[in-house]
Amino acid sequence: MICAMVHQLTRNLSDDTIMASGFAPYFVDHTTGVYPIAAAGIPWRAEYIGVKGDPITDLHEDMAAEQKARSTYDNLIRLIDDPDVLDPLRFLRQRELNHYQRFGEALEITTDRLNRKNYYACNPAFDKNCGK
């Protein structure tokens, strides 16, 4: 969806518009292709994915990622007035809320099945003396 929005917003750019908008440095490197980069210009890197192999840790990481995406959509929604862009952003924002809810439910199920008194200072799947 994001790629489709970027395409819609950039497909008819003139050279003058590219120069006047400050889009020229990006355009020189990527034309109008979607290149995963933060608004501050920092490229996305695989190390940003926090996977530990520990279900509690990973579910918290997943929930945090959903909230960060929601915050980004909230910020974009505050800055944009184009209804053709706002409607998909609102859909994506709602999707992040739904994902956050599902990850929260998975976290609850996981902790219920482990041990309610263990606030997960250790991983009983690997640490055999965990909680003893």
Side-chain angles (χ1 to χ4, degrees), residues 6 26 30-35:
V6 170
Y26 182 94
H30 311 289
T31 317
T32 58
V34 176
Y35 179 72

Side-chain angles (χ1 to χ4, degrees), residues 103-124:
F103 281 127
E105 291 166 1
L107 178 61
E108 187 175 331
I109 291 167
T110 301
T111 54
D112 285 349
R113 289 188 179 170
L114 288 171
N115 177 354
R116 282 192 174 270
K117 294 181 182 179
N118 176 11
Y119 289 98
Y120 225 69
C122 52
N123 184 342

Side-chain angles (χ1 to χ4, degrees), residues 44-120:
W44 183 87
R45 296 166 52 159
E47 66 193 27
Y48 297 149
I49 298 174
V51 176
K52 298 299 276 182
D54 176 288
I56 301 297
T57 303
D58 290 346
L59 285 166
H60 277 285
E61 181 72 27
D62 294 337
M63 292 174 72
E66 298 299 334
Q67 287 301 309
K68 290 180 215 175
R70 184 212 32 92
S71 295
T72 299
Y73 292 133
D74 283 343
N75 292 337
L76 288 169
I77 289 167
R78 286 185 193 100
L79 298 174
I80 295 169
D81 59 5
D82 182 337
D84 291 334
V85 175
L86 282 172
D87 289 343
L89 286 176
R90 287 186 181 115
F91 170 82
L92 292 170
R93 180 189 182 282
Q94 184 60 47
R95 186 184 66 169
E96 302 307 334
L97 295 173
N98 293 342
H99 289 168
Y100 182 81
Q101 184 67 31
R102 299 296 83 77
F103 281 127
E105 291 166 1
L107 178 61
E108 187 175 331
I109 291 167
T110 301
T111 54
D112 285 349
R113 289 188 179 170
L114 288 171
N115 177 354
R116 282 192 174 270
K117 294 181 182 179
N118 176 11
Y119 289 98
Y120 225 69

